[in-house]
Structures are given as structure tokens and as C-alpha cells.
Short mmCIF file of all heavy atoms in Angstrom, two decimals:
data_model
loop_
_atom_site.label_atom_id
_atom_site.label_comp_id
_atom_site.label_asym_id
_atom_site.label_seq_id
_atom_site.Cartn_x
_atom_site.Cartn_y
_atom_site.Cartn_z
N LEU A 60 0.83 -1.21 0.00
CA LEU A 60 0.00 0.00 0.00
C LEU A 60 0.86 1.26 0.00
O LEU A 60 0.60 2.20 -0.75
CB LEU A 60 -0.95 -0.01 1.21
CG LEU A 60 -2.03 -1.08 1.18
CD1 LEU A 60 -2.76 -1.15 2.52
CD2 LEU A 60 -3.02 -0.85 0.04
N GLN A 61 1.90 1.27 0.83
CA GLN A 61 2.78 2.44 0.90
C GLN A 61 3.53 2.64 -0.42
O GLN A 61 3.71 3.78 -0.86
CB GLN A 61 3.75 2.29 2.07
CG GLN A 61 3.04 2.45 3.39
CD GLN A 61 3.92 2.12 4.59
OE1 GLN A 61 4.72 1.20 4.56
NE2 GLN A 61 3.75 2.89 5.67
N LYS A 62 3.96 1.55 -1.06
CA LYS A 62 4.65 1.67 -2.35
C LYS A 62 3.74 2.24 -3.42
O LYS A 62 4.20 2.82 -4.39
CB LYS A 62 5.22 0.32 -2.78
CG LYS A 62 6.48 -0.03 -2.02
CD LYS A 62 7.09 -1.32 -2.51
CE LYS A 62 8.40 -1.54 -1.75
NZ LYS A 62 8.98 -2.84 -2.01
N ASN A 63 2.43 2.07 -3.24
CA ASN A 63 1.45 2.64 -4.18
C ASN A 63 0.93 3.99 -3.71
O ASN A 63 -0.10 4.46 -4.18
CB ASN A 63 0.32 1.63 -4.40
CG ASN A 63 0.73 0.53 -5.34
OD1 ASN A 63 0.76 0.73 -6.55
ND2 ASN A 63 1.10 -0.62 -4.81
N ARG A 64 1.64 4.57 -2.76
CA ARG A 64 1.34 5.91 -2.23
C ARG A 64 -0.06 6.02 -1.64
O ARG A 64 -0.75 7.03 -1.81
CB ARG A 64 1.56 6.96 -3.31
CG ARG A 64 3.00 7.08 -3.74
CD ARG A 64 3.17 8.23 -4.72
NE ARG A 64 4.57 8.47 -4.97
CZ ARG A 64 5.24 8.00 -6.02
NH1 ARG A 64 4.61 7.25 -6.90
NH2 ARG A 64 6.51 8.28 -6.19
N LEU A 65 -0.48 4.95 -0.97
CA LEU A 65 -1.78 4.94 -0.30
C LEU A 65 -1.55 5.03 1.20
O LEU A 65 -0.63 4.42 1.73
CB LEU A 65 -2.55 3.67 -0.67
CG LEU A 65 -2.90 3.56 -2.16
CD1 LEU A 65 -3.40 2.17 -2.48
CD2 LEU A 65 -3.94 4.60 -2.54
N SER A 66 -2.41 5.74 1.86
CA SER A 66 -2.27 5.95 3.30
C SER A 66 -2.59 4.67 4.08
O SER A 66 -3.59 3.99 3.80
CB SER A 66 -3.21 7.06 3.76
OG SER A 66 -3.16 7.17 5.17
N VAL A 67 -1.75 4.38 5.05
CA VAL A 67 -1.99 3.25 5.94
C VAL A 67 -2.29 3.74 7.36
O VAL A 67 -2.40 2.95 8.28
CB VAL A 67 -0.80 2.25 5.94
CG1 VAL A 67 -0.62 1.65 4.56
CG2 VAL A 67 0.47 2.91 6.42
N GLU A 68 -2.44 5.04 7.49
CA GLU A 68 -2.69 5.65 8.79
C GLU A 68 -4.00 5.14 9.36
O GLU A 68 -5.03 5.11 8.69
CB GLU A 68 -2.75 7.17 8.65
CG GLU A 68 -2.90 7.89 9.96
CD GLU A 68 -2.91 9.40 9.80
OE1 GLU A 68 -2.38 9.90 8.80
OE2 GLU A 68 -3.45 10.05 10.69
N GLY A 69 -3.96 4.71 10.61
CA GLY A 69 -5.15 4.28 11.31
C GLY A 69 -5.61 2.86 11.01
O GLY A 69 -6.61 2.42 11.58
N LEU A 70 -4.92 2.16 10.14
CA LEU A 70 -5.33 0.79 9.83
C LEU A 70 -5.10 -0.11 11.03
O LEU A 70 -4.09 0.00 11.71
CB LEU A 70 -4.55 0.24 8.63
CG LEU A 70 -4.85 0.84 7.27
CD1 LEU A 70 -3.98 0.18 6.21
CD2 LEU A 70 -6.32 0.70 6.92
N ARG A 71 -6.06 -1.00 11.27
CA ARG A 71 -5.89 -2.00 12.31
C ARG A 71 -6.76 -3.20 11.98
O ARG A 71 -7.78 -3.09 11.29
CB ARG A 71 -6.23 -1.43 13.69
CG ARG A 71 -7.66 -1.00 13.85
CD ARG A 71 -7.91 -0.31 15.21
NE ARG A 71 -9.29 0.13 15.28
CZ ARG A 71 -10.31 -0.62 15.67
NH1 ARG A 71 -10.11 -1.88 16.04
NH2 ARG A 71 -11.53 -0.13 15.71
N SER A 72 -6.34 -4.33 12.45
CA SER A 72 -7.10 -5.57 12.28
C SER A 72 -8.17 -5.61 13.36
O SER A 72 -7.87 -5.50 14.55
CB SER A 72 -6.13 -6.75 12.41
OG SER A 72 -6.82 -7.96 12.32
N LYS A 73 -9.44 -5.75 12.94
CA LYS A 73 -10.54 -5.66 13.91
C LYS A 73 -11.60 -6.72 13.64
O LYS A 73 -11.72 -7.24 12.53
CB LYS A 73 -11.14 -4.27 13.93
CG LYS A 73 -11.67 -3.79 12.61
CD LYS A 73 -11.75 -2.27 12.60
CE LYS A 73 -11.68 -1.68 11.22
NZ LYS A 73 -10.49 -1.94 10.46
N ASN A 74 -12.41 -6.97 14.65
CA ASN A 74 -13.47 -7.96 14.57
C ASN A 74 -14.71 -7.35 13.93
O ASN A 74 -15.05 -6.20 14.19
CB ASN A 74 -13.80 -8.47 15.98
CG ASN A 74 -14.64 -9.71 15.95
OD1 ASN A 74 -15.80 -9.70 15.54
ND2 ASN A 74 -14.06 -10.81 16.39
N TRP A 75 -15.40 -8.16 13.15
CA TRP A 75 -16.60 -7.67 12.49
C TRP A 75 -17.71 -7.29 13.47
O TRP A 75 -18.64 -6.55 13.14
CB TRP A 75 -17.10 -8.62 11.43
CG TRP A 75 -17.59 -9.99 11.86
CD1 TRP A 75 -17.93 -10.40 13.11
CD2 TRP A 75 -17.79 -11.11 11.01
NE1 TRP A 75 -18.35 -11.71 13.08
CE2 TRP A 75 -18.28 -12.18 11.81
CE3 TRP A 75 -17.64 -11.32 9.65
CZ2 TRP A 75 -18.58 -13.43 11.28
CZ3 TRP A 75 -17.95 -12.58 9.14
CH2 TRP A 75 -18.40 -13.61 9.94
N ALA A 76 -17.61 -7.76 14.71
CA ALA A 76 -18.60 -7.41 15.74
C ALA A 76 -18.66 -5.89 15.97
O ALA A 76 -19.70 -5.38 16.39
CB ALA A 76 -18.28 -8.12 17.05
N GLU A 77 -17.58 -5.18 15.67
CA GLU A 77 -17.59 -3.71 15.82
C GLU A 77 -18.65 -3.06 14.95
O GLU A 77 -19.09 -1.96 15.24
CB GLU A 77 -16.22 -3.13 15.45
CG GLU A 77 -15.14 -3.39 16.46
CD GLU A 77 -13.86 -2.62 16.18
OE1 GLU A 77 -13.92 -1.53 15.55
OE2 GLU A 77 -12.80 -3.10 16.58
N PHE A 78 -19.07 -3.73 13.88
CA PHE A 78 -20.00 -3.14 12.92
C PHE A 78 -21.44 -3.54 13.16
O PHE A 78 -22.32 -3.19 12.39
CB PHE A 78 -19.54 -3.46 11.50
CG PHE A 78 -18.24 -2.80 11.18
CD1 PHE A 78 -17.04 -3.46 11.43
CD2 PHE A 78 -18.20 -1.50 10.72
CE1 PHE A 78 -15.82 -2.84 11.18
CE2 PHE A 78 -16.99 -0.87 10.48
CZ PHE A 78 -15.80 -1.54 10.71
N GLU A 79 -21.67 -4.29 14.24
CA GLU A 79 -23.05 -4.62 14.59
C GLU A 79 -23.45 -3.98 15.92
O GLU A 79 -24.57 -4.13 16.37
CB GLU A 79 -23.26 -6.14 14.63
CG GLU A 79 -22.35 -6.87 15.57
CD GLU A 79 -22.56 -8.38 15.56
OE1 GLU A 79 -23.63 -8.86 15.15
OE2 GLU A 79 -21.64 -9.09 15.98
N ARG A 80 -22.54 -3.24 16.51
CA ARG A 80 -22.80 -2.58 17.79
C ARG A 80 -23.58 -1.28 17.58
O ARG A 80 -23.52 -0.67 16.52
CB ARG A 80 -21.48 -2.24 18.47
CG ARG A 80 -20.70 -3.45 18.90
CD ARG A 80 -19.44 -3.05 19.64
NE ARG A 80 -18.69 -4.24 20.00
CZ ARG A 80 -17.38 -4.34 19.94
NH1 ARG A 80 -16.65 -3.31 19.57
NH2 ARG A 80 -16.79 -5.46 20.26
N PRO A 81 -24.25 -0.83 18.65
CA PRO A 81 -24.90 0.49 18.56
C PRO A 81 -23.86 1.56 18.24
O PRO A 81 -22.74 1.52 18.75
CB PRO A 81 -25.48 0.69 19.97
CG PRO A 81 -25.63 -0.70 20.53
CD PRO A 81 -24.51 -1.50 19.92
N GLY A 82 -24.23 2.47 17.38
CA GLY A 82 -23.32 3.54 16.98
C GLY A 82 -22.40 3.19 15.83
O GLY A 82 -21.67 4.05 15.34
N ALA A 83 -22.44 1.95 15.39
CA ALA A 83 -21.61 1.56 14.24
C ALA A 83 -22.18 2.21 12.97
O ALA A 83 -23.36 2.54 12.92
CB ALA A 83 -21.61 0.04 14.08
N PRO A 84 -21.32 2.39 11.97
CA PRO A 84 -21.82 2.98 10.71
C PRO A 84 -22.93 2.12 10.10
O PRO A 84 -22.86 0.89 10.16
CB PRO A 84 -20.59 2.97 9.80
CG PRO A 84 -19.42 2.69 10.66
CD PRO A 84 -19.92 2.04 11.90
N LYS A 85 -23.94 2.77 9.54
CA LYS A 85 -25.01 2.05 8.83
C LYS A 85 -24.45 1.67 7.47
O LYS A 85 -24.18 2.54 6.64
CB LYS A 85 -26.25 2.93 8.69
CG LYS A 85 -27.40 2.20 8.04
CD LYS A 85 -28.62 3.09 7.92
CE LYS A 85 -29.76 2.39 7.24
NZ LYS A 85 -29.61 2.32 5.79
N LEU A 86 -24.26 0.39 7.26
CA LEU A 86 -23.61 -0.10 6.05
C LEU A 86 -24.59 -0.23 4.89
O LEU A 86 -25.75 -0.63 5.07
CB LEU A 86 -22.96 -1.46 6.33
CG LEU A 86 -21.92 -1.43 7.45
CD1 LEU A 86 -21.54 -2.84 7.86
CD2 LEU A 86 -20.69 -0.65 7.01
N ASP A 87 -24.10 0.08 3.69
CA ASP A 87 -24.88 -0.08 2.47
C ASP A 87 -24.53 -1.38 1.76
O ASP A 87 -25.39 -2.03 1.16
CB ASP A 87 -24.63 1.10 1.52
CG ASP A 87 -25.09 2.41 2.13
OD1 ASP A 87 -26.30 2.55 2.37
OD2 ASP A 87 -24.23 3.28 2.39
N LEU A 88 -23.24 -1.72 1.78
CA LEU A 88 -22.74 -2.89 1.05
C LEU A 88 -21.72 -3.63 1.90
O LEU A 88 -20.91 -2.99 2.59
CB LEU A 88 -22.07 -2.45 -0.25
CG LEU A 88 -22.94 -1.71 -1.26
CD1 LEU A 88 -22.08 -0.86 -2.17
CD2 LEU A 88 -23.75 -2.70 -2.06
N ILE A 89 -21.75 -4.96 1.80
CA ILE A 89 -20.76 -5.79 2.48
C ILE A 89 -20.23 -6.80 1.47
O ILE A 89 -21.01 -7.51 0.82
CB ILE A 89 -21.35 -6.52 3.69
CG1 ILE A 89 -21.85 -5.51 4.72
CG2 ILE A 89 -20.31 -7.46 4.31
CD1 ILE A 89 -22.56 -6.13 5.90
N PHE A 90 -18.91 -6.83 1.34
CA PHE A 90 -18.26 -7.78 0.44
C PHE A 90 -17.39 -8.73 1.24
O PHE A 90 -16.56 -8.28 2.04
CB PHE A 90 -17.35 -7.05 -0.56
CG PHE A 90 -18.08 -6.13 -1.49
CD1 PHE A 90 -18.12 -4.77 -1.25
CD2 PHE A 90 -18.71 -6.61 -2.62
CE1 PHE A 90 -18.78 -3.90 -2.10
CE2 PHE A 90 -19.38 -5.76 -3.49
CZ PHE A 90 -19.41 -4.40 -3.23
N THR A 91 -17.56 -10.03 1.03
CA THR A 91 -16.59 -10.98 1.57
C THR A 91 -15.53 -11.16 0.48
O THR A 91 -15.86 -11.29 -0.69
CB THR A 91 -17.24 -12.34 1.92
OG1 THR A 91 -17.97 -12.82 0.78
CG2 THR A 91 -18.15 -12.22 3.12
N VAL A 92 -14.27 -11.14 0.90
CA VAL A 92 -13.19 -11.27 -0.08
C VAL A 92 -12.39 -12.55 0.13
O VAL A 92 -11.38 -12.76 -0.52
CB VAL A 92 -12.27 -10.03 -0.10
CG1 VAL A 92 -13.01 -8.82 -0.65
CG2 VAL A 92 -11.69 -9.73 1.27
N CYS A 93 -12.85 -13.40 1.04
CA CYS A 93 -12.22 -14.71 1.19
C CYS A 93 -13.31 -15.76 1.30
O CYS A 93 -14.39 -15.49 1.82
CB CYS A 93 -11.24 -14.75 2.35
SG CYS A 93 -11.96 -14.76 3.98
N ASP A 94 -12.99 -16.95 0.81
CA ASP A 94 -13.99 -18.01 0.80
C ASP A 94 -14.36 -18.46 2.21
O ASP A 94 -15.50 -18.84 2.45
CB ASP A 94 -13.49 -19.19 -0.03
CG ASP A 94 -13.37 -18.82 -1.51
OD1 ASP A 94 -14.13 -17.94 -1.96
OD2 ASP A 94 -12.53 -19.42 -2.20
N ASN A 95 -13.41 -18.43 3.16
CA ASN A 95 -13.71 -18.84 4.53
C ASN A 95 -14.77 -17.94 5.15
O ASN A 95 -15.74 -18.42 5.73
CB ASN A 95 -12.46 -18.83 5.40
CG ASN A 95 -11.52 -19.96 5.04
OD1 ASN A 95 -11.89 -20.91 4.38
ND2 ASN A 95 -10.29 -19.84 5.49
N ALA A 96 -14.59 -16.63 5.03
CA ALA A 96 -15.57 -15.69 5.61
C ALA A 96 -16.92 -15.82 4.93
O ALA A 96 -17.96 -15.68 5.57
CB ALA A 96 -15.05 -14.26 5.53
N ALA A 97 -16.91 -16.10 3.63
CA ALA A 97 -18.17 -16.24 2.90
C ALA A 97 -18.96 -17.44 3.40
O ALA A 97 -20.18 -17.45 3.36
CB ALA A 97 -17.90 -16.37 1.41
N GLY A 98 -18.26 -18.47 3.89
CA GLY A 98 -18.92 -19.67 4.36
C GLY A 98 -19.34 -19.62 5.82
O GLY A 98 -20.01 -20.52 6.30
N GLU A 99 -18.94 -18.58 6.53
CA GLU A 99 -19.28 -18.47 7.95
C GLU A 99 -20.65 -17.84 8.13
O GLU A 99 -21.14 -17.14 7.25
CB GLU A 99 -18.23 -17.61 8.67
CG GLU A 99 -16.87 -18.28 8.72
CD GLU A 99 -15.86 -17.44 9.46
OE1 GLU A 99 -15.38 -16.46 8.89
OE2 GLU A 99 -15.57 -17.78 10.62
N VAL A 100 -21.23 -18.09 9.27
CA VAL A 100 -22.50 -17.45 9.60
C VAL A 100 -22.17 -16.02 10.02
O VAL A 100 -21.50 -15.79 11.02
CB VAL A 100 -23.23 -18.21 10.74
CG1 VAL A 100 -24.50 -17.47 11.12
CG2 VAL A 100 -23.54 -19.63 10.30
N CYS A 101 -22.63 -15.10 9.22
CA CYS A 101 -22.36 -13.68 9.50
C CYS A 101 -23.41 -13.13 10.44
O CYS A 101 -24.52 -13.65 10.53
CB CYS A 101 -22.39 -12.88 8.19
SG CYS A 101 -21.02 -13.25 7.10
N PRO A 102 -23.08 -12.05 11.12
CA PRO A 102 -24.08 -11.38 11.95
C PRO A 102 -25.24 -10.89 11.10
O PRO A 102 -25.13 -10.77 9.88
CB PRO A 102 -23.30 -10.19 12.53
CG PRO A 102 -21.87 -10.51 12.35
CD PRO A 102 -21.78 -11.40 11.16
N VAL A 103 -26.34 -10.60 11.76
CA VAL A 103 -27.45 -9.94 11.09
C VAL A 103 -27.12 -8.46 11.13
O VAL A 103 -27.10 -7.85 12.20
CB VAL A 103 -28.79 -10.25 11.78
CG1 VAL A 103 -29.92 -9.47 11.12
CG2 VAL A 103 -29.06 -11.74 11.75
N TRP A 104 -26.81 -7.90 9.98
CA TRP A 104 -26.36 -6.52 9.91
C TRP A 104 -27.54 -5.57 9.98
O TRP A 104 -28.53 -5.76 9.26
CB TRP A 104 -25.58 -6.28 8.61
CG TRP A 104 -24.43 -7.21 8.46
CD1 TRP A 104 -24.37 -8.29 7.62
CD2 TRP A 104 -23.18 -7.19 9.15
NE1 TRP A 104 -23.16 -8.92 7.76
CE2 TRP A 104 -22.41 -8.27 8.69
CE3 TRP A 104 -22.65 -6.35 10.12
CZ2 TRP A 104 -21.12 -8.53 9.17
CZ3 TRP A 104 -21.37 -6.60 10.60
CH2 TRP A 104 -20.63 -7.69 10.12
#
């Protein structure tokens, strides 16, 4: 990312549970980018 001059500021590895909590951003679209996550039972967003 840095070699492509893209900002990495603030990046962190986080649990998807952060996006189902009160106050989380209201999501419009969700993409799974790995087959393992696509096969898991996802939260009700």
C-alpha cells in the first residue's frame, strides 16, 4: 500500500462485531473477499 502511495494511517485488524454494535456505521454494502468468511455465519447486519 505504501509503495502505491496509499495511506496506511489508522489501519488496524478488527473484529466484524464492531460493525453490529450500537453507533456503528449504517452499512450499504458488504463484500466478503475470502472463501472462509463467505462460508461463515455472518451477523445480522
Side-chain angles (χ1 to χ4, degrees):
L60 292 171
Q61 289 171 322
K62 283 184 176 173
N63 282 282
R64 295 185 172 97
L65 296 168
S66 174
V67 297
E68 185 178 337
L70 290 180
R71 63 185 177 86
S72 177
K73 58 201 155 300
N74 194 293
W75 65 16
E77 287 189 27
F78 294 91
E79 58 181 339
R80 293 184 182 140
K85 183 179 178 282
L86 301 168
D87 297 296
L88 299 157
I89 298 175
F90 296 99
T91 52
V92 292
C93 73
D94 294 332
N95 289 344
E99 293 182 284
V100 177
C101 291
V103 176
W104 304 105

